[in-house]
Amino acid sequence: MKIYFVMPAYNEELNIAETVEKWYPIVESVGEDCRLVVANDGSKDKTFSVLKEIERKYPQLVALDKPNGGHGSTVLFLYKYAIANQADFIFQTDSDGQTNPNEFSSFLELIRSYDCVMGCRPVRGDGKNRKMIENILRSYVWLYFRVWLPDANAPFRLMKSSVVSKYLGLMPLEFNLPNAVLAACFTKFHEKVVYRNITFKPRQKGVNSINLKKIFMIGYKAIFDFYKISRNMSVYKSTL
């Protein structure tokens, strides 16, 4: 089972070494063909330098560097990288230490019966404001795609690469919310998907680069992006 564990990273100098240290044994235990792929999204701190330094210690770690494009575009970049390298499955999480590696094993068991195993955050350690924003995003997804999701954007998801690749063409390269659209597509087009509750801790160190102002701008842009994507879906469905 060749799984690419993918993480976007932006200004995570304080978190990245510890996050890799915690996730690497999971990657190693699944198989020697698996990789932990971290993409540095043009960080202004020493995130990439730290990654290159610890890369020597972890043979299955791959450190990539790219110009800054935002979290969403980096997630898309990583999905395409995993698919290009013939990964059977893609597991996506974030590099800020908010998710729990010990919860991965239950997702791995379920992937034998499902195409996509998606995380759901019943409690968000990053505050009530983030929970409210998530609920607004779920409402957007319902409005434009007519599916109601338990959690639209949780960064803890194990997916068949072949299923992910079906829907990447719907989104522009710089799209901000690819995980929400993928989650909507999995349900709308009846992929074998299941949601499981996960722990979501407060950010461990550093400052979240996506503040409320940026979230508002992403949400405002998402209205237009979701509209365009929803209009294309009926045509896109015929190609699946």
Side-chain angles (χ1 to χ4, degrees):
M1 190 178 292
K2 185 176 180 180
I3 302 177
Y4 271 42
F5 295 70
V6 301
M7 298 180 183
Y10 178 74
N11 288 352
E12 294 292 356
E13 176 186 348
L14 298 177
N15 285 313
I16 196 63
E18 185 176 347
T19 299
V20 169
E21 182 182 8
K22 288 180 177 178
W23 276 100
Y24 190 82
I26 306 295
V27 177
E28 200 172 34
S29 70
V30 177
E32 62 182 14
D33 290 334
C34 298
R35 297 291 181 269
L36 175 56
V37 187
V38 185
N40 176 56
D41 183 33
S43 296
K44 297 178 181 179
D45 64 4
K46 296 180 181 178
T47 298
F48 190 61
S49 298
V50 173
L51 279 169
K52 293 305 290 182
E53 183 177 341
I54 64 175
E55 198 175 27
R56 305 167 194 164
K57 181 180 177 182
Y58 302 111
Q60 290 171 240
L61 171 65
V62 178
L64 304 176
D65 195 28
K66 62 179 285 293
N68 180 255
H71 182 276
S73 70
T74 307
V75 167
L76 286 172
F77 171 83
L78 284 163
Y79 289 165
K80 291 175 181 178
Y81 179 88
I83 291 165
N85 283 275
Q86 300 181 324
D88 301 311
F89 298 90
I90 304 169
F91 176 77
Q92 189 267 321
T93 192
D94 285 345
S95 56
D96 52 16
Q98 289 184 268
T99 56
N100 185 356
N102 293 330
E103 295 177 342
F104 175 78
S105 60
S106 63
F107 278 52
L108 186 60
E109 291 173 9
L110 286 167
I111 203 64
R112 301 180 189 280
S113 303
Y114 296 92
D115 295 329
C116 307
V117 187
M118 313 286 280
C120 179
R121 299 164 289 184
V123 177
R124 291 196 58 155
D126 51 356
K128 293 181 179 179
N129 285 341
R130 290 302 180 104
K131 182 64 176 177
M132 178 187 69
I133 291 163
E134 167 64 23
N135 288 336
I136 292 171
L137 175 59
R138 291 163 71 209
S139 299
Y140 275 3
V141 170
W142 167 254
L143 179 64
Y144 289 102
F145 306 120
R146 286 296 186 262
V147 292
W148 185 252
L149 304 175
D151 193 321
N153 206 34
F156 201 100
R157 46 183 65 203
L158 179 59
M159 307 165 289
K160 279 187 178 177
S161 298
S162 58
V163 174
V164 174
S165 66
K166 289 183 186 180
Y167 305 107
L168 292 183
L170 273 171
M171 295 171 279
L173 292 176
E174 301 302 317
F175 185 58
N176 284 311
L177 296 166
N179 277 346
V181 169
L182 285 174
C185 288
F186 296 159
T187 297
K188 190 174 185 68
F189 296 118
H190 308 293
E191 305 293 353
K192 293 167 65 178
V193 59
V194 66
Y195 284 80
R196 286 293 180 266
N197 288 347
I198 61 166
T199 306
F200 200 69
K201 298 175 285 186
R203 164 175 276 274
Q204 300 303 287
K205 298 174 185 175
V207 178
N208 198 317
S209 61
I210 305 179
N211 54 36
L212 288 177
K213 182 179 178 181
K214 286 185 179 179
I215 288 171
F216 174 80
M217 295 305 297
I218 289 171
Y220 181 75
K221 187 175 185 298
I223 294 173
F224 300 98
D225 288 335
F226 281 4
Y227 174 75
K228 291 177 184 176
I229 291 170
S230 66
R231 290 291 298 270
N232 290 335
M233 269 190 173
S234 58
V235 176
Y236 198 77
K237 183 179 180 180
S238 65
T239 68
L240 295 178

